[in-house]
Amino acid sequence: MGGGAVELRRCGTIGGVNLAVVLVSPKTPGNIGSAARAMLNMGARDLRLVAPRCDHLDSGAVAMAVHAADLLREAKVYPTLREALADRDLSVGTTARLRADLAPPQHPAYVRPLVRAAAAPALVFGPEETGLINSDLEQCQLAVRIPTGDYASLNLAQAVLLVCYEFLQGQDELPERQRKTATREEMEALYGHLRETMNLIGYTDAVRARHTLRLWRAVLDRALMSSAESRLFRGLLRQVHWKVEDAAARGTTAPRQAPAPDAPELDLPATDDQPGR
């Protein structure tokens, strides 16, 4: 868009989505003001700031907000991300890279139906220099990544504009999804292992086992597990078997040091815990 102000004729909730935009530790007033303007362009009005490092009502912020100055003045300030998300029923973090032990970020279009179905969703952005750190992303049920060229460095207002567009104004055509799911043989092995475990711990019996396992199949098949995730699940089942057999041998369920469980083989690259968008 050009530098001139554009007067908006519609704003507020779009399609019933009460979307909150949460900025974690923003650094400069201008970025906060620009993010507020981007929000209003896409129809979002609930701006939340977590431990801001500047005055969000600074003249620079108000100038960059243009017609979103009222939105800026109504912004809520919180000391922690947990408090900012306390009344939200879905939180979506933003990141540009994969994190070890965290689910990979998805294209926003895949998350759109969940956001629109939520009563009180939140979209979370990290500091300008670093993006969200792992402990922030852990508080989000989902993460999204904006597809870019090789140079993946959007400023805060650009990121807010693009993702708010996807959630509030985007259409329902989805890009082709490429994800390698576990084979049926891997899933059948998992279901056999699950049935053995349910019988072992008395969760079901021979009469009810088939029906119970059918319900679990429906749940786990919807997850579309990868091969690594199916192995991770079976590692948990093996640990349950060990615990039950160990307790039976010792005649007590008192804790004892267990053998190291199988290390999960996740399909993620090794990364450090340094923050990054």
Side-chain angles (χ1 to χ4, degrees):
M1 293 179 61
V6 177
E7 184 172 359
L8 300 176
R9 298 186 182 276
R10 63 174 183 173
C11 58
T13 299
I14 299 294
V17 178
N18 173 28
L19 181 69
V21 173
V22 182
L23 307 183
V24 177
S25 193
K27 183 179 181 181
T28 63
N31 281 341
I32 298 176
S34 297
R37 181 180 181 181
M39 288 173 58
L40 193 60
N41 268 279
M42 292 302 113
R45 298 195 63 98
D46 186 350
L47 175 60
R48 303 182 179 201
L49 307 174
V50 177
R53 290 173 286 168
C54 61
D55 179 7
H56 69 285
L57 297 178
D58 178 88
S59 59
V62 175
M64 294 301 293
V66 191
H67 293 289
D70 285 344
L71 187 155
L72 196 62
R73 284 186 279 268
E74 294 166 1
K76 305 178 187 69
V77 179
Y78 299 85
T80 66
L81 178 57
R82 178 172 178 173
E83 290 167 279
L85 297 176
D87 66 336
R88 303 284 93 186
D89 62 351
L90 178 70
S91 55
V92 180
T94 55
T95 182
R97 66 182 180 88
L98 299 175
R99 314 294 181 96
D101 298 330
L102 291 175
Q106 302 183 56
H107 189 290
Y110 288 116
V111 180
R112 186 188 304 140
L114 298 175
V115 171
R116 291 183 173 177
L123 179 58
V124 185
F125 296 88
E128 294 94 326
E129 318 96 300
T130 63
L132 295 173
I133 61 175
N134 285 8
S135 58
D136 295 328
L137 286 170
E138 287 170 358
Q139 298 182 62
C140 301
Q141 291 102 314
L142 299 164
V144 296
R145 177 179 182 175
I146 302 168
T148 65
D150 292 338
Y151 181 56
S153 180
L154 300 173
N155 70 33
L156 183 59
Q158 289 174 328
V160 170
L161 182 74
L162 287 171
V163 185
C164 282
Y165 169 82
E166 285 284 358
F167 290 162
L168 298 176
Q169 305 290 351
Q171 301 303 309
D172 292 332
E173 297 86 0
L174 299 180
E176 182 180 354
R177 169 170 261 169
Q178 295 181 345
R179 184 176 188 272
K180 188 174 182 180
T181 58
T183 66
R184 291 319 300 168
E185 177 58 33
E186 289 172 317
M187 293 306 296
E188 289 301 327
L190 185 154
Y191 293 138
H193 200 163
L194 178 59
R195 180 169 184 162
E196 292 174 6
T197 305
M198 290 192 298
N199 288 331
L200 178 68
I201 64 176
Y203 181 80
T204 188
D205 54 34
V207 175
R208 298 175 296 166
R210 185 172 183 177
H211 175 69
T212 303
L213 188 59
R214 186 179 296 132
L215 297 177
W216 274 102
R217 278 177 176 270
V219 172
L220 297 178
D221 276 343
R222 276 200 305 271
L224 296 176
M225 288 184 179
S226 67
S227 295
E229 289 166 342
S230 72
R231 293 193 296 271
L232 180 67
F233 195 95
R234 294 192 68 185
L236 172 63
L237 298 180
R238 280 191 289 273
Q239 200 72 2
V240 171
H241 276 254
W242 176 87
K243 180 64 179 178
V244 172
E245 291 167 358
D246 177 68
R250 295 189 297 122
T252 177
T253 58
R256 188 174 77 170
Q257 183 63 41
D262 295 340
E265 300 177 25
L266 297 178
D267 295 325
L268 297 176
T271 61
D272 56 28
D273 196 42
Q274 295 302 310
R277 197 180 301 283

